[in-house]
Amino acid sequence: MPDIFGVIADATRRDILQALLERHLQDEEMSVSEIVGQLEISQPTVSKHLKVLREAELVTVREDGQHRFYSLDPEPLEMVEDFVIPFLSAGFDTEVTVEYLSEDGERVSGPESEDSFEDTGEVLSEEAAAAAERIGRAAAKAEHRVKELVARFRLRD
């Protein structure tokens, strides 16, 4: 597999990924001609970059006759995210506090002690752990997006 950082280093490939992301969020594919039209670059250039993105497994292709439809596969980018997040969060206070509230919104005491979980050997059920992981990834993505927007804003000044 090609070096993912080298693949996304190219601005044209990032533009293609951005266009595919917009469609991915709508659960739709994008044809080569749509990419060409949106980015206003030549079809051979788009095809060359799509080949690199396919080899990096960042996009999938569905053939329908002579037409090819592309979809984003964001999973390989998680490696980039895992690498970059520690750098983006360096120096930020990310302390988490836990507060237990009753159904009425009043503060209540939490579990008696942390030792109360030692009986079962697990702190969270599998479902809760999976949900916590999804929430953590969403929070990290949101934090990254905010930092990216702040950096863009600073560049404009």
Side-chain angles (χ1 to χ4, degrees):
M1 185 167 142
D3 177 30
I4 193 82
F5 292 96
V7 172
I8 62 174
D10 184 274
T12 301
R13 287 193 284 269
R14 289 194 309 270
D15 290 342
I16 292 171
L17 288 172
Q18 187 67 45
L20 290 170
L21 174 61
E22 291 169 12
R23 291 293 180 94
H24 177 76
L25 296 173
Q26 300 168 7
D27 201 26
E28 296 177 2
E29 301 170 315
M30 195 169 194
S31 71
V32 174
S33 60
E34 289 175 307
I35 296 170
V36 166
Q38 182 172 332
L39 300 181
E40 298 179 350
I41 52 179
S42 72
Q43 187 273 328
T45 300
V46 169
S47 293
K48 177 186 81 166
H49 288 294
L50 285 169
K51 180 180 184 219
V52 173
L53 293 170
R54 268 194 327 270
E55 290 171 352
E57 300 176 358
L58 286 167
V59 299
T60 58
V61 62
R62 180 180 63 83
E63 295 182 19
D64 186 8
Q66 291 189 357
H67 301 282
R68 287 178 171 65
F69 297 92
Y70 285 85
S71 304
L72 176 68
D73 183 358
E75 189 172 328
L77 291 171
E78 289 178 6
M79 180 181 7
V80 175
E81 177 185 47
D82 292 342
F83 177 81
V84 171
I85 284 180
F87 294 95
L88 297 174
S89 60
F92 283 91
D93 183 16
T94 57
E95 182 178 326
V96 176
T97 58
V98 177
E99 193 174 90
Y100 296 92
L101 304 176
S102 69
E103 290 179 9
D104 300 328
E106 294 181 30
R107 190 179 207 176
V108 296
S109 62
E112 296 301 318
S113 72
E114 292 181 18
D115 297 335
S116 63
F117 294 109
E118 288 181 5
D119 298 338
T120 63
E122 65 180 57
V123 175
L124 297 174
S125 69
E126 265 186 56
E127 291 173 351
E133 182 178 344
R134 287 192 301 272
I135 290 168
R137 284 199 177 275
K141 287 177 184 177
E143 178 183 13
H144 170 70
R145 185 69 179 137
V146 167
K147 289 178 184 176
E148 181 181 82
L149 292 171
V150 168
R152 285 183 186 172
F153 181 74
R154 286 181 183 160
L155 289 175
R156 291 182 186 163
D157 288 343

